[in-house]
Amino acid sequence: MSALWSVGAGLLLLLLWVRHRGLEAVLVHHRWVFVCLFLLPLSILFDIYYQLRAWAVWRLHSAPRQHAQRVRHIQEQVREWKKEGSKRYMCTGRPGWLTVSLRVGKYKKTHKNIMINLMDVLEVDSERQVVRVEPLVSMGQLTAYLNPMGWTIPVVPELDDLTVGGLIMGTGIESSSHIYGLFQHTCVAYELVLADGSLVRCSPTENSDLFYAVPWSCGTLGFLVAAEIKMIPAKKYVKIHYKPVRGLQKICEKFTEESKKKENSFVEGLMYSLDEAVIMTGVLTDEAEQSKINRIGNYYKPWFFKHVEKYLKDDRTGVEYIPSRHYYHRHTRSIFWELQDIIPFGNNPVFRYLFGWMVPPKISLLKLTQGEAIRKLYEQHHVVQDMLVPMKSLEKSIQTFHVDLNVYPIWLCPFILPNNPGMVHPKGNEAELYVDIGAYGEPKSKQFEARASMRQMEKFVRSVHGFQMLYADCYMTREEFWDMFDGSLYHKLREQMNCKDAFPEVYDKICKAARH
């Protein structure tokens, strides 16, 4: 009974404090209060619901039987839109707050919403080594499904909630991408409902133009209803080697050297300042030294980027064996390092042991509850950007990030970019090694101003023939955008498939200059 009185008294004091400070002030300056008391429990309920649903589908084997019916329903909605006179653009009916992107999609309120309830794994073809999935299948769901069968996919972007559809229509990357390329390069076929309501399948040999145009198109060529993705055999552990490196030139040289080695299953770099980094290389293995196993995904463990930083602070190399699924989702619990700005004490051992099992809050719920004041604050004083630049421009690119943003840690992830048709390919005629430079956090640069600084960054990325990930805020003009991306195949198909009245151009859908 005394415990209940204590909880009641605590809640009363909290409510009085909130009333005194003002709700908006608390949400902006002490957001952890709201996140810890409400969003963490709500996130747990979300996870339980989706896990129970996935389990029920698996037990009942209902997904393959219902898939065709669900696709027909999408086709019926598109045909109904045509009968109504095609007066508005179409978009998926999934609420904007459910997406992992921090951008708020205002177009959902003005476009015709097509409901797409496709979130199941459809088929695992061990003979072809291909898994067929619906677009709303998440990375956490897919690895949980495949790993017990002895399979995984070649590129597993880190955050649990990233979906197959988002990773195809946008893009996705992982520390194995120096071997396999971007997420789209591991896909062997797509199925789409087009603007006329027809269902088509495309692959490198079947409707190949559409196959290469779909990635990065952000749902402006048709509605993705299924994808086939390559599988590779899963192994129990990733043997990971941590190597602290100091000096920008040495960091770039070491990172480039390791990225070129195909014997490395994984390559990743975390930069903690302009001249301090830890370069990590990993190899898949079924054998492990028991004393060196680190189950980094357990809720009470330190956040991964903090764990890595210890090797830099102690100035020592190290070797660990991380269970493969823990490795794939190593940045999930701390949302890379974004959670430290939301829950400043989140990596404290006491918090981890008591409440770490509830972390992280759903990004979708953070978006839903952020309010206009927090959204504007984030827009002006926070960056979440991934720029893809040629490896040969790495040193110059990091220096530019330091001057314009000065955000640390910085994520470095190498990838091979094939010379395929589509919006993103190297400047030359052959595949080229690129690197994703990820900046997430509050810029420390004194001259930082969101629009001006990001336009300067975008100009630099265009100058080295790089690309900006389209989930992030984009400030380019239309001409600048199509200078960065190759729109020749994209525009040709939009003309051929009568997309211009059905879907907005990708620029109009994602760029700030078009939406304001």
Side-chain angles (χ1 to χ4, degrees):
M1 195 69 180
S2 59
L4 286 174
W5 278 107
S6 299
V7 171
L11 287 173
L12 179 61
L13 288 171
L14 176 63
L15 289 171
L16 290 171
W17 178 68
V18 169
R19 184 178 178 183
H20 172 69
R21 294 297 305 272
L23 181 60
E24 185 172 287
V26 171
L27 290 178
V28 172
H29 301 293
H30 304 278
R31 201 173 183 206
W32 62 267
V33 175
F34 182 72
V35 170
C36 291
L37 290 179
F38 299 102
L39 294 195
L40 288 181
L42 197 55
S43 296
I44 292 294
L45 293 176
F46 256 60
D47 280 336
I48 290 172
Y49 167 74
Y50 282 111
Q51 286 169 10
L52 287 174
R53 185 192 180 282
W55 178 83
V57 167
W58 175 73
R59 292 291 296 178
L60 298 172
H61 302 288
S62 64
R65 290 200 305 269
Q66 294 183 5
H67 175 73
Q69 180 183 336
R70 290 170 180 161
V71 171
R72 282 194 296 273
H73 178 58
I74 294 167
Q75 292 177 282
E76 288 166 6
Q77 292 178 77
V78 173
R79 288 170 185 146
E80 184 64 30
W81 165 82
K82 287 187 70 178
K83 285 180 186 176
E84 293 170 355
S86 312
K87 295 175 183 176
R88 295 182 290 163
Y89 288 139
M90 291 183 289
C91 67
T92 61
R94 189 186 188 206
W97 61 270
L98 273 175
T99 62
V100 172
S101 168
L102 294 179
R103 185 174 57 243
V104 178
K106 296 179 180 178
Y107 61 87
K108 296 278 186 181
K109 296 178 181 178
T110 57
H111 293 185
K112 171 74 173 179
N113 282 217
I114 304 298
M115 300 312 297
I116 297 178
N117 182 29
L118 301 171
M119 55 182 69
D120 299 317
V121 179
L122 297 173
E123 179 187 3
V124 176
D125 189 334
S126 299
E127 190 173 323
R128 289 176 59 215
Q129 295 194 11
V130 166
V131 58
R132 182 167 171 255
V133 301
E134 293 179 329
L136 295 180
V137 167
S138 70
M139 289 298 99
Q141 177 186 353
L142 188 54
T143 54
Y145 190 96
L146 292 179
N147 286 175
M149 299 181 183
W151 295 103
T152 187
I153 56 175
V155 175
V156 185
E158 290 83 358
L159 301 182
D160 280 12
D161 290 342
L162 292 169
T163 63
V164 167
L167 295 168
I168 290 169
M169 290 298 185
T171 194
I173 194 169
E174 168 54 79
S175 53
S176 58
S177 289
H178 66 296
I179 299 173
Y180 299 105
L182 298 171
F183 187 84
Q184 70 207 55
H185 301 127
T186 68
C187 297
V188 297
Y190 309 127
E191 296 168 39
L192 296 100
V193 171
L194 303 183
D196 61 359
S198 62
L199 175 66
V200 298
R201 183 180 185 275
C202 56
S203 71
T205 57
E206 180 185 2
N207 298 310
S208 60
D209 278 358
L210 181 58
F211 177 79
Y212 289 116
V214 163
W216 295 74
S217 66
C218 297
T220 60
L221 293 173
F223 295 109
L224 184 71
V225 294
E228 295 175 28
I229 309 167
K230 295 175 188 173
M231 298 189 304
I232 58 174
K235 294 193 175 181
K236 293 179 181 178
Y237 301 100
V238 175
K239 181 182 180 181
I240 187 167
H241 184 268
Y242 303 91
K243 171 73 175 175
V245 186
R246 286 179 168 81
L248 180 57
Q249 186 177 348
K250 288 183 178 179
I251 291 168
C252 295
E253 287 173 355
K254 180 67 175 174
F255 185 76
T256 303
E257 175 193 338
E258 297 296 346
S259 300
K260 290 178 179 178
K261 294 178 181 177
K262 300 298 184 187
E263 60 266 32
N264 287 328
S265 305
F266 306 97
V267 179
E268 176 182 27
L270 293 184
M271 293 194 66
Y272 293 90
S273 71
L274 182 61
D275 57 1
E276 293 182 309
V278 178
I279 308 298
M280 289 162 279
T281 57
V283 178
L284 285 164
T285 178
D286 282 323
E287 306 297 327
E289 298 177 47
Q290 292 299 310
S291 62
K292 293 183 179 178
I293 293 176
N294 184 2
R295 292 180 170 80
I296 195 69
N298 289 349
Y299 70 87
Y300 51 83
K301 289 283 188 173
W303 290 346
F304 184 70
F305 79 97
K306 286 294 188 183
H307 171 67
V308 174
E309 190 177 19
K310 283 194 67 179
Y311 289 94
L312 184 67
K313 289 180 175 178
D314 298 345
D315 197 23
R316 63 182 177 90
T317 60
V319 173
E320 288 184 328
Y321 294 83
I322 299 179
S324 56
R325 192 159 184 267
H326 288 220
Y327 177 82
Y328 287 136
H329 303 289
R330 63 199 177 281
H331 291 301
T332 292
R333 288 191 302 123
S334 56
I335 317 177
F336 279 87
W337 30 93
E338 287 278 69
L339 198 57
Q340 66 180 350
D341 291 334
I342 299 169
I343 307 177
F345 46 82
N347 193 50
N348 183 284
V350 175
F351 182 86
R352 291 200 315 266
Y353 275 89
L354 292 178
F355 305 108
W357 57 276
M358 303 173 76
V359 167
K362 292 287 185 188
I363 295 174
S364 53
L365 293 178
L366 288 170
K367 280 175 63 179
L368 180 65
T369 59
Q370 67 181 355
E372 192 64 18
I374 296 176
R375 189 189 66 77
K376 287 182 178 178
L377 192 70
Y378 262 65
E379 190 173 295
Q380 294 302 319
H381 304 287
H382 198 90
V383 295
V384 180
Q385 291 283 349
D386 284 84
M387 299 293 187
L388 315 180
V389 298
M391 186 67 79
K392 61 192 177 189
S393 303
L394 178 58
E395 185 172 346
K396 192 195 317 183
S397 300
I398 292 173
Q399 288 171 335
T400 301
F401 267 69
H402 179 77
V403 171
D404 291 344
L405 302 179
N406 193 8
V407 171
Y408 293 97
I410 282 178
W411 190 55
L412 302 179
C413 184
F415 68 100
I416 191 73
L417 184 60
N419 186 32
N420 292 339
M423 285 176 61
V424 171
H425 55 75
K427 191 173 185 180
N429 295 322
E430 295 183 0
E432 185 174 350
L433 192 61
Y434 270 62
V435 57
D436 174 9
I437 304 178
Y440 324 119
E442 185 178 344
K444 301 297 189 295
S445 175
K446 291 181 180 178
Q447 67 265 31
F448 177 80
E449 192 279 317
R451 186 179 184 278
S453 297
M454 287 317 307
R455 280 191 53 75
Q456 194 166 307
M457 287 289 302
E458 291 163 348
K459 182 179 180 181
F460 167 78
V461 172
R462 290 197 304 275
S463 74
V464 296
H465 197 74
F467 308 95
Q468 180 182 27
M469 281 198 186
L470 300 184
Y471 78 89
D473 283 335
C474 172
Y475 293 84
M476 289 182 281
T477 65
R478 193 178 304 273
E479 292 71 27
E480 291 166 343
F481 182 86
W482 290 117
D483 180 43
M484 177 179 283
F485 297 99
D486 182 353
S488 54
L489 181 61
Y490 172 78
H491 290 302
K492 172 186 154 187
L493 283 175
R494 275 179 61 84
E495 191 73 43
Q496 286 179 359
M497 300 190 308
N498 299 316
C499 292
K500 290 188 174 181
D501 293 328
F503 307 105
E505 185 184 294
V506 61
Y507 175 81
D508 295 307
K509 193 170 182 180
I510 64 101
C511 286
K512 277 187 169 291
R515 292 183 286 118
H516 285 186

